[in-house]
Short mmCIF file of all heavy atoms in Angstrom, two decimals:
data_model
loop_
_atom_site.label_atom_id
_atom_site.label_comp_id
_atom_site.label_asym_id
_atom_site.label_seq_id
_atom_site.Cartn_x
_atom_site.Cartn_y
_atom_site.Cartn_z
N ASN A 1 0.80 -1.22 -0.03
CA ASN A 1 0.02 -0.06 0.01
C ASN A 1 0.88 1.23 -0.10
O ASN A 1 0.44 2.31 -0.41
CB ASN A 1 -0.91 0.04 1.16
CG ASN A 1 -2.07 -1.00 1.09
OD1 ASN A 1 -2.48 -1.32 -0.04
ND2 ASN A 1 -2.51 -1.51 2.20
N GLU A 2 2.08 1.12 0.47
CA GLU A 2 2.88 2.35 0.54
C GLU A 2 3.26 2.77 -0.80
O GLU A 2 3.52 3.99 -1.06
CB GLU A 2 4.16 1.99 1.30
CG GLU A 2 5.16 3.14 1.49
CD GLU A 2 6.50 2.76 2.20
OE1 GLU A 2 6.49 1.59 2.64
OE2 GLU A 2 7.28 3.64 2.33
N TYR A 3 3.34 1.89 -1.77
CA TYR A 3 3.63 2.28 -3.11
C TYR A 3 2.58 2.17 -4.12
O TYR A 3 2.69 2.20 -5.30
CB TYR A 3 4.81 1.35 -3.55
CG TYR A 3 6.11 1.41 -2.73
CD1 TYR A 3 6.52 0.37 -1.97
CD2 TYR A 3 6.87 2.59 -2.67
CE1 TYR A 3 7.65 0.42 -1.21
CE2 TYR A 3 7.96 2.75 -1.87
CZ TYR A 3 8.39 1.64 -1.15
OH TYR A 3 9.51 1.75 -0.26
N LYS A 4 1.43 1.97 -3.63
CA LYS A 4 0.13 1.76 -4.57
C LYS A 4 0.02 2.87 -5.50
O LYS A 4 -0.25 2.69 -6.69
CB LYS A 4 -0.99 1.59 -3.74
CG LYS A 4 -2.26 1.15 -4.48
CD LYS A 4 -3.51 0.85 -3.63
CE LYS A 4 -4.70 0.40 -4.54
NZ LYS A 4 -5.87 0.14 -3.71
N TYR A 5 0.13 4.07 -5.04
CA TYR A 5 -0.14 5.27 -5.98
C TYR A 5 0.91 5.33 -7.02
O TYR A 5 0.70 5.70 -8.18
CB TYR A 5 -0.14 6.56 -5.14
CG TYR A 5 1.17 7.04 -4.59
CD1 TYR A 5 1.88 8.04 -5.28
CD2 TYR A 5 1.73 6.57 -3.49
CE1 TYR A 5 3.03 8.53 -4.85
CE2 TYR A 5 2.97 6.97 -3.00
CZ TYR A 5 3.67 7.85 -3.72
OH TYR A 5 4.91 8.35 -3.33
N ILE A 6 2.14 4.94 -6.68
CA ILE A 6 3.23 4.86 -7.60
C ILE A 6 2.98 3.80 -8.71
O ILE A 6 3.17 4.00 -9.94
CB ILE A 6 4.63 4.65 -7.00
CG1 ILE A 6 4.95 5.79 -6.00
CG2 ILE A 6 5.73 4.54 -7.99
CD1 ILE A 6 6.28 5.58 -5.24
N GLN A 7 2.58 2.66 -8.22
CA GLN A 7 2.22 1.60 -9.13
C GLN A 7 1.19 1.91 -10.11
O GLN A 7 1.20 1.70 -11.32
CB GLN A 7 1.71 0.38 -8.32
CG GLN A 7 1.33 -0.87 -8.99
CD GLN A 7 0.93 -2.04 -8.15
OE1 GLN A 7 1.77 -2.56 -7.49
NE2 GLN A 7 -0.26 -2.39 -7.92
N GLU A 8 0.08 2.63 -9.61
CA GLU A 8 -1.01 3.07 -10.34
C GLU A 8 -0.61 4.09 -11.46
O GLU A 8 -1.05 4.00 -12.59
CB GLU A 8 -2.23 3.52 -9.50
CG GLU A 8 -2.97 2.45 -8.71
CD GLU A 8 -3.95 3.11 -7.83
OE1 GLU A 8 -3.98 4.35 -7.61
OE2 GLU A 8 -4.69 2.37 -7.21
N ASP A 9 0.26 4.96 -10.99
CA ASP A 9 0.78 5.96 -11.92
C ASP A 9 1.66 5.37 -13.10
O ASP A 9 1.46 5.81 -14.21
CB ASP A 9 1.67 7.00 -11.10
CG ASP A 9 2.02 8.20 -11.95
OD1 ASP A 9 1.15 8.69 -12.68
OD2 ASP A 9 3.07 8.78 -11.79
N LEU A 10 2.40 4.37 -12.68
CA LEU A 10 3.24 3.71 -13.74
C LEU A 10 2.39 2.93 -14.71
O LEU A 10 2.63 2.94 -15.85
CB LEU A 10 4.23 2.74 -12.96
CG LEU A 10 5.53 3.45 -12.31
CD1 LEU A 10 6.31 2.46 -11.50
CD2 LEU A 10 6.29 4.06 -13.33
N CYS A 11 1.38 2.29 -14.17
CA CYS A 11 0.35 1.57 -15.04
C CYS A 11 -0.16 2.52 -16.11
O CYS A 11 -0.28 2.12 -17.33
CB CYS A 11 -0.67 0.90 -14.23
SG CYS A 11 -0.16 -0.52 -13.29
N GLU A 12 -0.57 3.68 -15.71
CA GLU A 12 -1.22 4.56 -16.51
C GLU A 12 -0.17 5.17 -17.60
O GLU A 12 -0.47 5.19 -18.74
CB GLU A 12 -1.67 5.75 -15.73
CG GLU A 12 -2.21 7.03 -16.60
CD GLU A 12 -3.45 6.63 -17.44
OE1 GLU A 12 -4.15 5.60 -17.03
OE2 GLU A 12 -3.64 7.29 -18.46
N LYS A 13 1.09 5.47 -17.13
CA LYS A 13 2.09 6.04 -18.09
C LYS A 13 2.62 5.04 -19.04
O LYS A 13 2.88 5.34 -20.14
CB LYS A 13 3.27 6.67 -17.09
CG LYS A 13 2.92 7.95 -16.49
CD LYS A 13 4.07 8.45 -15.80
CE LYS A 13 4.04 9.95 -15.44
NZ LYS A 13 2.90 10.23 -14.53
N LEU A 14 2.70 3.80 -18.55
CA LEU A 14 3.34 2.79 -19.41
C LEU A 14 2.28 1.95 -20.27
O LEU A 14 2.65 1.22 -21.20
CB LEU A 14 4.21 1.84 -18.60
CG LEU A 14 5.39 2.47 -17.89
CD1 LEU A 14 6.12 1.40 -17.10
CD2 LEU A 14 6.32 3.12 -18.88
N GLY A 15 0.94 2.12 -19.85
CA GLY A 15 -0.07 1.38 -20.48
C GLY A 15 0.08 -0.11 -20.37
O GLY A 15 -0.25 -0.85 -21.28
N THR A 16 0.39 -0.54 -19.29
CA THR A 16 0.58 -2.07 -18.98
C THR A 16 0.59 -2.24 -17.49
O THR A 16 0.51 -1.34 -16.69
CB THR A 16 1.99 -2.56 -19.64
OG1 THR A 16 1.91 -3.88 -19.56
CG2 THR A 16 3.14 -2.14 -18.81
N LYS A 17 0.60 -3.48 -17.14
CA LYS A 17 0.50 -3.93 -15.68
C LYS A 17 1.82 -3.73 -15.00
O LYS A 17 2.94 -4.10 -15.65
CB LYS A 17 0.04 -5.36 -15.45
CG LYS A 17 -1.35 -5.62 -15.81
CD LYS A 17 -1.78 -7.07 -15.43
CE LYS A 17 -3.28 -7.26 -15.54
NZ LYS A 17 -3.71 -8.62 -15.25
N VAL A 18 1.87 -3.01 -13.95
CA VAL A 18 3.15 -2.84 -13.15
C VAL A 18 2.82 -3.29 -11.65
O VAL A 18 1.83 -3.04 -11.09
CB VAL A 18 3.47 -1.37 -13.09
CG1 VAL A 18 4.69 -1.12 -12.20
CG2 VAL A 18 3.82 -0.88 -14.62
N LYS A 19 3.78 -4.06 -11.16
CA LYS A 19 3.60 -4.47 -9.76
C LYS A 19 4.90 -3.97 -8.88
O LYS A 19 6.01 -4.14 -9.33
CB LYS A 19 3.54 -5.95 -9.58
CG LYS A 19 2.19 -6.62 -10.12
CD LYS A 19 2.01 -8.04 -9.64
CE LYS A 19 3.02 -8.94 -10.37
NZ LYS A 19 2.82 -10.39 -10.12
N ILE A 20 4.71 -3.56 -7.80
CA ILE A 20 5.72 -3.18 -6.92
C ILE A 20 5.55 -4.13 -5.67
O ILE A 20 4.56 -4.08 -4.98
CB ILE A 20 5.69 -1.71 -6.35
CG1 ILE A 20 5.83 -0.77 -7.65
CG2 ILE A 20 6.77 -1.39 -5.36
CD1 ILE A 20 5.75 0.68 -7.35
N LYS A 21 6.54 -5.00 -5.49
CA LYS A 21 6.46 -6.03 -4.47
C LYS A 21 7.85 -6.48 -4.05
O LYS A 21 8.80 -6.66 -4.91
CB LYS A 21 5.72 -7.24 -5.04
CG LYS A 21 5.34 -8.39 -4.08
CD LYS A 21 4.56 -9.43 -4.68
CE LYS A 21 4.28 -10.51 -3.74
NZ LYS A 21 3.43 -11.60 -4.38
N ASN A 22 8.07 -6.56 -2.84
CA ASN A 22 9.34 -6.98 -2.25
C ASN A 22 10.53 -6.24 -2.75
O ASN A 22 11.60 -6.73 -3.25
CB ASN A 22 9.60 -8.55 -2.56
CG ASN A 22 8.53 -9.40 -1.95
OD1 ASN A 22 8.02 -9.06 -0.86
ND2 ASN A 22 8.16 -10.54 -2.60
N ASN A 23 10.39 -4.81 -2.81
CA ASN A 23 11.28 -3.88 -3.09
C ASN A 23 11.69 -4.23 -4.71
O ASN A 23 12.94 -3.95 -5.04
CB ASN A 23 12.61 -3.99 -2.32
CG ASN A 23 12.28 -3.53 -0.88
OD1 ASN A 23 11.49 -2.70 -0.68
ND2 ASN A 23 12.99 -4.21 0.18
N LYS A 24 10.78 -4.67 -5.43
CA LYS A 24 11.15 -4.89 -6.85
C LYS A 24 9.94 -4.26 -7.70
O LYS A 24 8.74 -4.20 -7.23
CB LYS A 24 11.15 -6.26 -7.29
CG LYS A 24 12.44 -6.99 -6.60
CD LYS A 24 12.40 -8.48 -7.03
CE LYS A 24 13.67 -9.18 -6.35
NZ LYS A 24 13.73 -10.64 -6.86
N ILE A 25 10.24 -3.76 -8.85
CA ILE A 25 9.32 -3.17 -9.81
C ILE A 25 9.13 -4.24 -10.94
O ILE A 25 10.16 -4.51 -11.65
CB ILE A 25 9.55 -1.85 -10.29
CG1 ILE A 25 9.64 -0.82 -9.11
CG2 ILE A 25 8.52 -1.31 -11.35
CD1 ILE A 25 10.01 0.53 -9.59
N GLU A 26 7.97 -4.76 -11.12
CA GLU A 26 7.79 -5.75 -12.26
C GLU A 26 6.85 -5.05 -13.26
O GLU A 26 5.77 -4.66 -13.05
CB GLU A 26 7.02 -7.04 -11.77
CG GLU A 26 7.96 -7.80 -10.83
CD GLU A 26 7.26 -9.11 -10.36
OE1 GLU A 26 6.18 -9.37 -10.87
OE2 GLU A 26 7.84 -9.72 -9.33
N ILE A 27 7.41 -4.97 -14.59
CA ILE A 27 6.69 -4.34 -15.66
C ILE A 27 6.28 -5.39 -16.68
O ILE A 27 7.18 -6.09 -17.16
CB ILE A 27 7.55 -3.28 -16.29
CG1 ILE A 27 7.87 -2.18 -15.29
CG2 ILE A 27 6.75 -2.62 -17.48
CD1 ILE A 27 8.85 -1.06 -15.82
N SER A 28 5.07 -5.56 -16.90
CA SER A 28 4.58 -6.59 -17.91
C SER A 28 4.67 -6.09 -19.35
O SER A 28 4.35 -4.94 -19.59
CB SER A 28 3.19 -7.03 -17.47
OG SER A 28 3.16 -7.58 -16.22
N PHE A 29 5.07 -7.07 -20.16
CA PHE A 29 4.90 -6.78 -21.63
C PHE A 29 4.57 -8.19 -22.25
O PHE A 29 4.86 -9.18 -21.82
CB PHE A 29 6.17 -6.19 -22.25
CG PHE A 29 7.39 -7.08 -22.17
CD1 PHE A 29 7.78 -8.00 -23.19
CD2 PHE A 29 8.27 -7.06 -21.06
CE1 PHE A 29 8.76 -8.77 -23.04
CE2 PHE A 29 9.34 -7.87 -20.89
CZ PHE A 29 9.64 -8.78 -21.82
N VAL A 30 3.83 -7.98 -23.43
CA VAL A 30 3.30 -9.16 -24.06
C VAL A 30 4.04 -9.79 -25.22
O VAL A 30 4.03 -10.90 -25.61
CB VAL A 30 1.78 -9.03 -24.58
CG1 VAL A 30 0.92 -8.70 -23.43
CG2 VAL A 30 1.81 -7.89 -25.59
N ASN A 31 5.02 -8.93 -25.85
CA ASN A 31 5.79 -9.34 -26.89
C ASN A 31 6.97 -8.30 -27.20
O ASN A 31 6.96 -7.26 -26.42
CB ASN A 31 4.98 -9.61 -28.10
CG ASN A 31 4.14 -8.51 -28.49
OD1 ASN A 31 4.56 -7.37 -28.52
ND2 ASN A 31 2.82 -8.72 -28.88
N GLY A 32 7.67 -8.51 -28.12
CA GLY A 32 8.81 -7.65 -28.50
C GLY A 32 8.26 -6.29 -28.88
O GLY A 32 8.94 -5.14 -28.47
N ASN A 33 7.22 -6.13 -29.61
CA ASN A 33 6.67 -4.81 -30.01
C ASN A 33 6.28 -4.01 -28.84
O ASN A 33 6.51 -2.79 -28.68
CB ASN A 33 5.53 -4.96 -30.98
CG ASN A 33 6.00 -5.35 -32.45
OD1 ASN A 33 7.10 -5.18 -32.75
ND2 ASN A 33 4.99 -5.75 -33.15
N ASP A 34 5.57 -4.71 -27.88
CA ASP A 34 5.14 -4.02 -26.61
C ASP A 34 6.28 -3.66 -25.76
O ASP A 34 6.30 -2.57 -25.18
CB ASP A 34 4.21 -4.97 -25.85
CG ASP A 34 3.40 -4.17 -24.75
OD1 ASP A 34 3.15 -3.18 -24.98
OD2 ASP A 34 3.07 -4.92 -23.85
N LEU A 35 7.25 -4.51 -25.70
CA LEU A 35 8.55 -4.11 -24.91
C LEU A 35 9.17 -2.81 -25.57
O LEU A 35 9.60 -1.90 -24.77
CB LEU A 35 9.54 -5.24 -24.98
CG LEU A 35 10.94 -4.91 -24.23
CD1 LEU A 35 10.68 -4.51 -22.80
CD2 LEU A 35 11.81 -6.15 -24.27
N ASN A 36 9.28 -2.85 -26.85
CA ASN A 36 9.91 -1.57 -27.58
C ASN A 36 9.10 -0.35 -27.22
O ASN A 36 9.59 0.68 -27.09
CB ASN A 36 9.94 -1.83 -29.08
CG ASN A 36 11.05 -2.74 -29.42
OD1 ASN A 36 12.07 -2.92 -28.66
ND2 ASN A 36 10.91 -3.49 -30.54
N ARG A 37 7.74 -0.51 -27.25
CA ARG A 37 6.91 0.54 -26.95
C ARG A 37 7.10 1.14 -25.52
O ARG A 37 7.32 2.36 -25.25
CB ARG A 37 5.43 0.15 -27.03
CG ARG A 37 4.36 1.33 -26.67
CD ARG A 37 2.93 0.66 -26.64
NE ARG A 37 2.87 -0.29 -25.53
CZ ARG A 37 2.61 0.08 -24.24
NH1 ARG A 37 2.48 1.35 -23.95
NH2 ARG A 37 2.51 -0.88 -23.31
#
């Protein structure tokens, strides 16, 4: 919850799922094109 607002902001800016957990940021992408984006 401490980083929830940052997580939501990153989701909006990057247009993908973002998780902040255990002092790590996980950014989801579905394929190479999405990663490049």
Side-chain angles (χ1 to χ4, degrees):
N1 288 331
E2 182 182 357
Y3 301 113
K4 186 176 181 181
Y5 74 99
I6 298 177
Q7 180 176 285
E8 291 174 349
D9 192 38
L10 286 172
C11 286
E12 174 63 25
K13 282 184 168 59
L14 300 179
T16 190
K17 287 187 176 180
V18 177
K19 289 194 293 186
I20 299 179
K21 187 178 180 182
N22 298 328
N23 294 328
K24 294 180 180 179
I25 299 177
E26 297 180 8
I27 302 173
S28 300
F29 62 93
V30 296
N31 52 43
N33 283 345
D34 194 29
L35 174 59
N36 288 333
R37 178 188 66 81

